[in-house]
């Protein structure tokens, strides 16, 4: 994709002239540390070179006009700065409207409407954060157009606020943070309890990151995401009766074993075991990577999937089929679901000379078990959201 093409398309849709600017925001893949970001734990995501392109121009009035190349059947959707109510019928534009709304709530005054075109190559609902990508894209555009003095961490937090309050998905900070702060060839080791972070170079030598998309759609809103989050919050309240902790991320596996009886419900006990053990795995994975031990890193990815399958119960038949087929292939160092789960994608580390056979064999096995195809994407780790033209 190239930005000129989208600028041309913008001009034929809305007319040429004026200060037309273009932006890019990546998608993200999380290597390990799943469902830990709202539990004060660690995550280890990276930004992708796949993402969302946007072209925008300020208007003189207060109208907002949105067009997505991916949803061209919906045509141009109109709104206004005076009508920023969430509206289900306006589909994807709620992610953009939410960002306008959130900027206002946080004291960043927007007084001009916009014409906007976006086009993305992240598969929708795939668990690679197409929605956070669109939000951060809009925020980077507003920050740039108005010259707001706002760092990228604050920008990520505003996007998360928009998603939590406006779109009513109680997500953590991982997606918006990794998209706003990503760095080519690096993953971000982020402590979600205080947002301290380190970049970690991903050197896979003769191996590659391969994403497999199950093509089972996942809507965070409709999913069990908020339910899992509530289960963790309730359990934390129970644990607080006997422990001085602010989050599950403060517990080691051993500390958890000592106090687990206080959690009265067996299902919630499993949820907490995942939150605690996944955080510990993420710490160990970061360590392994620093020592160049990709084999151990891969084993921890596999263990992460098992915990998400058995304790957190967010995988489902499609993701389990993809991962179990991956584990059986030669040259696979590790494979797990990535993102919220309940459909979406898996991420695998595969030796370069085995990638072709990996994709072919897993695709076949998936089709036999599930009855429709999965899509495969060898991916690269890219930079954060930014202005590109
Ligand atoms: C979604 C959320 C993130 C995170 C993951 C699970 O992607 O947006 O905040 O909780 O699920 O790790």
């Amino acid at each position: 994709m190239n930005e000129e093409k989208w600028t041309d398309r913008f001009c034929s849709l809305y007319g040429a002239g004026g200060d037309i600017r273009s932006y890019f925001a990546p998608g993200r893949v999380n290597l390990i540390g799943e469902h830990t970001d709202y539990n004060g734990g660690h995550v280890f995501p990276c930004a992708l070179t796949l993402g969302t392109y946007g072209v925008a121009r300020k208007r003189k009035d207060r109208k907002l006009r949105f067009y997505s190349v991916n949803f061209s059947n919906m045509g141009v959707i109109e709104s206004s700065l005076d009508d920023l109510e969430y509206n289900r019928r306006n589909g994807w534009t709620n992610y953009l409207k939410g960002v306008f709304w959130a900027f206002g709530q946080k004291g960043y005054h927007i007084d001009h409407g916009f014409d906007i075109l976006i086009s993305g190559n992240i598969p929708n609902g795939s668990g690679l954060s197409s929605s956070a990508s669109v939000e951060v894209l809009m925020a980077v555009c507003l920050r740039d157009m108005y010259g707001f003095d706002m760092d990228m961490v604050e920008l990520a937090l505003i996007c998360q606020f928009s998603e939590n309050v406006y779109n009513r998905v109680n997500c953590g900070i991982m997606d918006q943070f990794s998209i706003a702060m990503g760095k080519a060839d690096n993953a971000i080791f982020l402590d979600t309890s205080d947002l301290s972070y380190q970049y970690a170079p991903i050197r896979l030598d003769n191996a590659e990151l391969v994403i497999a998309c199950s093509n089972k759609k996942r809507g965070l809103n409709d999913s069990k995401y908020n339910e899992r989050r509530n289960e963790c919050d309730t359990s934390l309240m129970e644990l607080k009766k006997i422990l001085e902790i602010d989050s599950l991320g403060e517990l080691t596996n051993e500390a958890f074993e000592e106090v687990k009886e206080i959690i009265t419900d067996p299902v919630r006990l499993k949820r907490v075991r995942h939150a605690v053990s996944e955080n510990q795995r993420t710490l160990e994975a970061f360590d392994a990577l620093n020592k160049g031990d990709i084999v151990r890193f891969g084993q921890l990815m596999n263990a992460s999937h098992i915990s998400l399958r058995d304790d957190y119960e967010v995988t489902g038949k499609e993701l389990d089929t993809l991962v179990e087929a991956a584990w059986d292939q030669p040259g696979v160092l590790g494979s797990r679901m990535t993102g919220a789960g309940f459909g979406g994608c898996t991420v695998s580390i595969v030796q370069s000379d085995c990638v072709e056979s990996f994709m072919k064999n897993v695709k076949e096995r998936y089709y036999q078990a599930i009855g429709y195809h999965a899509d495969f994407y060898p991916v690269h780790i890219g930079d954060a959201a930014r202005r590109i033209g």
Side-chain angles (χ1 to χ4, degrees):
M1 278 207 224
N2 62 51
E3 67 202 71
E4 264 165 43
K5 179 170 145 199
W6 301 128
T7 306
D8 288 351
R9 185 93 178 252
F10 178 95
C11 292
S12 53
L13 191 66
Y14 296 119
D19 182 9
I20 299 173
R21 302 187 191 179
S22 41
Y23 303 88
F24 174 77
R28 69 95 189 90
V29 64
N30 188 23
L31 299 179
I32 192 161
E34 217 64 85
H35 289 279
T36 49
D37 66 343
Y38 49 85
N39 285 312
H42 293 76
V43 292
F44 203 32
C46 34
L48 297 172
T49 52
L50 292 173
T52 316
Y53 292 81
V55 185
R57 178 177 57 201
K58 264 190 197 170
R59 295 176 55 89
K60 296 209 164 56
D61 57 17
R62 293 173 64 79
K63 244 190 221 173
L64 297 171
R65 295 198 292 177
F66 302 113
Y67 179 83
S68 166
V69 174
N70 302 74
F71 297 104
S72 55
N73 60 324
M74 291 175 83
V76 174
I77 297 177
E78 281 205 17
S79 187
S80 132
L81 291 174
D82 302 313
D83 174 25
L84 290 178
E85 283 285 297
Y86 181 92
N87 183 341
R88 249 191 85 185
R89 273 186 297 133
N90 291 162
W92 66 273
T93 67
N94 285 308
Y95 291 112
L96 301 191
K97 279 165 61 182
V99 173
F100 279 94
W101 171 85
F103 267 60
Q105 293 289 307
K106 298 290 177 187
Y108 293 100
H109 191 59
I110 309 283
D111 51 7
H112 292 84
F114 277 86
D115 290 334
I116 296 165
L117 172 143
I118 70 166
S119 170
N121 55 11
I122 309 170
N124 274 317
S126 62
L128 301 180
S129 284
S130 55
S131 55
S133 174
V134 166
E135 287 160 1
V136 174
L137 180 88
M138 192 68 247
V140 166
C141 164
L142 292 181
R143 183 181 83 146
D144 176 58
M145 290 271 192
Y146 280 87
F148 290 133
D149 180 18
M150 170 194 294
D151 66 29
M152 290 300 268
V153 174
E154 182 184 355
L155 183 144
L157 286 165
I158 293 178
C159 292
Q160 183 200 15
F161 173 72
S162 166
E163 177 116 16
N164 289 168
V165 183
Y166 190 88
N167 288 291
R168 301 216 189 100
V169 179
N170 215 0
C171 65
I173 188 62
M174 172 171 73
D175 304 348
Q176 291 81 5
F177 194 99
S178 45
I179 291 167
M181 298 293 291
K183 186 169 155 186
D185 302 324
N186 281 258
I188 310 173
F189 182 62
L190 170 68
D191 180 346
T192 62
S193 70
D194 60 5
L195 298 190
S196 57
Y197 64 94
Q198 290 176 57
Y199 291 108
I202 300 291
R203 291 188 210 89
L204 297 176
D205 299 327
N206 297 321
E208 286 172 39
L209 287 178
V210 182
I211 288 182
C213 182
S214 68
N215 286 325
K216 179 182 182 204
K217 289 281 180 277
R218 169 197 62 86
L220 271 188
N221 247 331
D222 320 323
S223 77
K224 301 260 178 198
Y225 185 89
N226 289 344
E227 182 185 296
R228 290 293 179 282
R229 192 169 174 158
N230 290 337
E231 287 166 343
C232 289
D233 290 347
T234 310
S235 309
L236 177 64
M237 290 205 308
E238 272 178 334
L239 286 163
K240 276 181 155 185
K241 289 185 202 149
I242 53 163
L243 287 178
E244 274 185 35
I245 53 169
D246 290 325
S247 72
L248 299 179
E250 288 174 44
L251 294 175
T252 59
N253 293 329
E254 296 73 30
F256 166 67
E257 283 302 318
E258 274 171 30
V259 295
K260 66 181 186 195
E261 269 73 40
I262 193 90
I263 300 171
T264 48
D265 177 68
V267 171
R268 282 194 290 101
L269 184 77
K270 294 204 292 182
R271 306 299 189 243
V272 178
R273 190 164 59 207
H274 168 75
V276 172
S277 66
E278 180 74 354
N279 186 40
Q280 298 300 311
R281 271 188 293 277
T282 308
L283 295 169
E284 199 191 332
F286 177 63
D287 236 39
L289 193 77
N290 283 336
K291 292 186 189 133
D293 191 349
I294 298 291
V295 170
R296 181 70 193 136
F297 191 89
Q299 289 165 348
L300 290 160
M301 287 174 75
N302 297 347
S304 164
H305 185 85
I306 292 169
S307 177
L308 287 156
R309 183 189 69 192
D310 299 346
D311 279 348
Y312 221 60
E313 297 180 280
V314 292
T315 57
K317 189 173 176 208
E318 294 79 5
L319 292 172
D320 288 338
T321 302
L322 281 176
V323 165
E324 281 155 26
W327 289 341
D328 288 346
Q329 304 308 312
V332 173
L333 292 150
S335 183
R336 58 181 288 275
M337 60 150 268
T338 183
F342 313 104
C345 288
T346 67
V347 57
S348 308
I349 302 182
V350 186
Q351 276 171 20
S352 307
D353 53 354
C354 297
V355 168
E356 281 304 317
S357 64
F358 167 86
M359 295 195 296
K360 181 175 169 287
N361 296 345
V362 177
K363 195 179 180 92
E364 256 170 44
R365 237 170 90 176
Y366 186 76
Y367 185 74
Q368 271 162 21
I370 305 295
Y372 52 84
H373 284 294
D375 291 317
F376 293 80
Y377 307 84
V379 289
H380 302 284
I381 303 178
D383 278 317
R386 60 202 180 267
R387 182 172 168 188
I388 52 172

